[in-house]
Amino acid sequence: MTTNSQFMVQAQNVHKNFGAHEVLKGITLNVTHGEVMCLVGPSGSGKSTFLRCINHLDVVNGGRLLVDGELIGYRDGGEKLFELKASEAALQRRDIGMVFQKFNLFPHLTALENVIEAPIRVKKLKRADAIARGKELLTRVGLEEKFDSYPAHLSGGQQQRVAIARALAMDPKLMLFDEPTSALDPELVGEVLDVMRELANSGMTMIVVTHEMGFAREVADSLVFMDNGVVVEAGKPAEVLFNPQHDRTKAFLSKVL
Amino acid sequence: MSDANQNAGPSENSDLHSAMPTETIKAIPLRHPLRNLAAAVLLVVSVSFLYDASHREIYDWATFTHYLFNHRVLTGVVVTLELTAYAMVIAVLLGIGLAVMRQSPNPVLKSVAWTFIWFFRGTPVYVQLVFWGLLSTVYPSITFGIPHVGDIATIPSINNLSLFVLAVIGLSLNEAAYMAEIVRAGLLSVDRGQEEAAKALGMGWGLSMRRIIIPQAMRIIIPPTGNEVISMLKTTSLVTAIPLTIDLYMATRDISATTYKPVPLLLVASTWYLVFTSVLMVLQYFLEKRFARGYAQMGLEVQVTPLEGNGAG
């Protein structure tokens, strides 16, 4: 994979507001290639919004957000920024995989069809190649017996694993996870985390919004604690979790650990 | 071994289990006397009506069979089917366009769509058809030009438009207003997460509409659209307002004007309408099944006749 920049993700003073409500109040952070970053924080802290800004599902109102050196959502015209056309934004998103809290599988397509849809239609892969790759990915997430199952016939954990395979099928350079295990029954969380752990070990750059502190401690390279639209504290997971410096971090961790 | 012995200790719990009755229940089913009485009464009334109808002179079944496959009637059938098909195809396409316009962030596109729907849904289709019939009177010619510069082009007369074309225009514009609302309901029924998931995979708007959103919306769109097609088949009988007089209904009216036997010819028209609405119902059944893929477990079964899925009796 060619590398355009020192960092996979660079956020520089990112602001985002919905009307009068300011959700992100200047986020600055860097994610290196191959890094696994966990974003934690109370609900409403802006961590999901920040994640959604990274692939332009939400539009940044201030600051700069770059993925692999490329400005997201805008073209820098020297003095002015120009909003990208929908097709150009779509082109940027091809390289950024996203996994949603509620899976968002396409219910009218089977597991395999979910996985091969974008490679065939967007990347213009040959159908046979897409199917071979799709089967390989579904096998990798442990669903070799569910190729032809519709999402309604799969458990939550299985659906989320299909969703991960679907995102991987586009060969992304960055994977975003928006609370991937929050909608799952407790006994199904493990199977999804196992897949994510394997993915992290394979060298994928990942940003994970999560409440799974055990996963964060074990798998993440860095941990960012957000509250009220700002980064309160960031560092090695063990440091932030066991030796928090800020009162807000301490208060939050005392509730979740 | 005595019963007391069997229930003696916890170690013999398995005996307790095997002592329970295991054979299938053979109870006397609950009777429904009122329901059965109502069914019997309806059956008697229906049979009497059918028997009476088969003998009643004014129905004149001989004339009915004589004209059922009459050339003019069959030509009328074809005209009615053509009107239905053309009007519905245009209405569906226009309806999708209007539904998309109504969701547009642009206020002009939004209001134009809203006004179109407001007008064509708010006036009777019969009145609209009369209006289309008067089109060449209202607009004898249409001229395109720029003020103070001059005319660019003039369409001398819309007289050349045939009555059939006017009928298709009239029916389709009216229907488009209804289709727009049906399509809009379908699009709104698809979870927003679907569009986001498609976007996140790098799909553009058109692709995600075509491959992800519309196929899911179809499940909601098809049943009411089937209704609209059936409704359209019958609404074509109003094109006499244009006046277009070669459709099925007017063909049978014309014949009865010379035979003085309106009732059997009304039956001829009704029979043909029923034949095609029945065919449409079967088509709708298969379409609904096709687009219910992936939803089977949610208990969304599709039923075409009253005798299906009636196991409970």
Side-chain angles (χ1 to χ4, degrees):
Chain A
M1 196 180 290
T2 55
T3 298
N4 304 323
S5 162
Q6 182 189 356
F7 295 110
M8 182 57 89
V9 178
Q10 285 170 280
Q12 300 162 351
N13 198 22
V14 169
H15 285 259
K16 168 70 190 172
N17 48 278
F18 293 106
H21 180 53
E22 197 172 24
V23 184
L24 300 179
K25 300 169 183 170
I27 305 285
T28 299
L29 56 78
N30 292 324
V31 181
T32 55
H33 293 272
E35 179 176 345
V36 177
M37 174 184 280
C38 279
L39 287 177
V40 301
S43 54
S45 58
K47 51 197 192 310
S48 283
T49 303
F50 176 65
L51 199 73
R52 292 163 55 83
C53 285
I54 296 175
N55 70 352
H56 204 48
L57 281 182
D58 280 335
V59 179
V60 172
N61 300 121
R64 293 281 191 278
L65 199 45
L66 296 94
V67 171
D68 208 9
E70 191 178 353
L71 188 61
I72 290 296
Y74 299 94
R75 190 175 62 246
D76 205 338
E79 303 249 311
K80 289 175 182 164
L81 285 185
F82 296 93
E83 202 177 327
L84 288 187
K85 283 192 281 185
S87 57
E88 295 167 327
L91 209 60
Q92 290 186 330
R93 289 196 192 99
R94 283 168 56 161
D95 296 335
I96 305 172
M98 180 142 187
V99 175
F100 299 87
Q101 182 178 355
K102 289 182 182 155
F103 329 135
N104 295 353
L105 289 183
F106 305 132
H108 61 300
L109 302 178
T110 64
L112 185 60
E113 287 168 345
N114 262 277
V115 175
I116 63 175
E117 179 68 22
I120 291 175
R121 305 278 161 180
V122 179
K123 282 187 106 178
K124 311 287 180 199
L125 232 63
K126 280 205 197 89
R127 190 175 172 82
D129 296 343
I131 287 174
R133 173 95 172 108
K135 286 182 172 172
E136 182 192 316
L137 284 166
L138 283 172
T139 306
R140 182 173 166 193
V141 299
L143 293 173
E144 57 275 14
E145 280 166 13
K146 300 290 182 185
F147 293 160
D148 299 323
S149 300
Y150 284 99
H153 299 182
L154 298 173
S155 73
Q158 291 170 334
Q159 289 191 54
Q160 194 61 299
R161 286 186 279 152
V162 174
I164 293 172
R166 178 176 71 175
L168 290 176
M170 292 297 284
D171 292 317
K173 52 189 177 190
L174 168 67
M175 283 284 284
L176 309 174
F177 293 84
D178 188 7
E179 302 200 25
T181 57
S182 297
L184 295 177
D185 290 337
E187 78 271 21
L188 302 177
V189 169
E191 62 190 61
V192 173
L193 292 182
D194 285 344
V195 168
M196 290 169 62
R197 186 177 295 117
E198 187 265 323
L199 192 58
N201 291 338
S202 77
M204 176 65 75
T205 312
M206 294 162 60
I207 303 180
V208 186
V209 171
T210 186
H211 295 293
E212 296 292 331
M213 296 303 161
F215 176 82
R217 186 183 60 221
E218 187 197 337
V219 178
D221 301 306
S222 59
L223 190 135
V224 172
F225 173 69
M226 279 178 69
D227 190 17
N228 203 18
V230 295
V231 172
V232 177
E233 196 164 344
K236 293 269 169 216
E239 288 168 20
V240 179
L241 288 173
F242 300 121
N243 190 17
Q245 301 299 309
H246 289 73
D247 291 341
R248 276 194 279 176
T249 320
K250 288 174 189 163
F252 175 74
L253 291 174
S254 71
K255 285 176 206 151
V256 297
L257 281 182
Chain B
M1 246 187 210
S2 72
D3 281 357
N5 224 346
Q6 265 189 2
N7 295 334
S11 60
E12 286 181 298
N13 258 350
S14 57
D15 284 336
L16 245 178
H17 211 80
S18 62
M20 287 182 186
T22 51
E23 79 274 18
T24 324
I25 292 175
K26 287 190 199 110
I28 311 294
L30 186 62
R31 305 289 182 200
H32 300 281
L34 274 178
R35 190 198 287 173
N36 292 341
L37 180 70
V41 169
L42 285 176
L43 195 63
V44 169
V45 170
S46 312
V47 169
S48 331
F49 175 80
L50 286 177
Y51 179 78
D52 170 83
S54 66
H55 287 71
R56 194 168 284 266
E57 213 163 294
I58 195 160
Y59 284 136
D60 195 352
W61 294 106
T63 308
F64 169 84
T65 41
H66 182 259
Y67 282 106
L68 188 58
F69 296 102
N70 174 280
H71 177 69
R72 276 165 82 187
V73 171
L74 291 184
T75 311
V77 166
V78 171
V79 171
T80 289
L81 290 179
E82 281 177 350
L83 281 172
T84 308
Y86 290 138
M88 272 321 288
V89 168
I90 296 172
V92 167
L93 295 177
L94 211 53
I96 292 175
L98 287 165
V100 170
M101 277 168 76
R102 279 207 67 180
Q103 291 192 330
S104 163
N106 184 312
V108 174
L109 295 183
K110 215 189 240 176
S111 337
V112 166
W114 186 89
T115 311
F116 181 98
I117 293 166
W118 172 76
F119 180 79
F120 282 98
R121 212 165 51 146
T123 54
V125 63
Y126 191 87
V127 175
Q128 290 172 26
L129 288 171
V130 174
F131 230 103
W132 286 107
L134 294 172
L135 186 67
S136 59
T137 315
V138 181
Y139 300 104
S141 69
I142 295 179
T143 302
F144 296 96
I146 304 168
H148 310 300
V149 175
D151 295 349
I152 295 170
T154 297
I155 301 173
S157 167
I158 331 184
N159 258 332
N160 302 332
L161 286 183
S162 73
L163 295 175
F164 182 85
V165 171
L166 286 174
V168 169
I169 294 175
L171 291 171
S172 59
L173 291 194
N174 176 263
E175 184 58 34
Y178 290 91
M179 282 312 303
E181 290 296 275
I182 291 170
V183 172
R184 191 168 71 100
L187 294 179
L188 288 178
S189 76
V190 180
D191 187 74
R192 263 191 61 82
Q194 294 292 308
E195 193 194 334
E196 290 196 339
K199 263 189 179 177
L201 287 167
M203 293 192 189
W205 182 83
L207 189 59
S208 83
M209 266 307 203
R210 208 171 72 242
R211 298 288 305 172
I212 307 299
I213 310 293
I214 289 182
Q216 292 181 59
M218 285 306 261
R219 208 169 54 83
I220 305 297
I221 291 173
I222 284 179
T225 303
N227 231 8
E228 292 298 312
V229 179
I230 287 171
S231 175
M232 174 63 80
L233 185 79
K234 299 174 296 167
T235 307
T236 56
S237 62
L238 296 181
V239 293
T240 176
I242 293 261
L244 179 71
T245 55
I246 51 171
D247 74 302
L248 171 58
Y249 176 67
M250 280 312 285
T252 59
R253 294 298 289 172
D254 281 354
I255 295 171
S256 61
T258 55
T259 61
Y260 298 109
K261 284 177 175 168
V263 175
L265 281 144
L266 283 175
L267 290 174
V268 167
S270 303
T271 304
W272 281 114
Y273 283 119
L274 272 173
V275 164
F276 288 105
T277 49
S278 309
V279 170
L280 289 172
M281 281 166 74
V282 173
L283 284 179
Q284 182 180 344
Y285 167 80
F286 285 109
L287 270 179
E288 281 185 33
K289 255 190 136 165
R290 170 81 169 73
F291 284 100
R293 276 176 320 162
Y295 295 89
Q297 264 204 346
M298 299 180 197
L300 297 162
E301 290 303 321
V302 182
Q303 190 183 355
V304 70
T305 69
L307 298 179
E308 267 182 81
N310 219 2

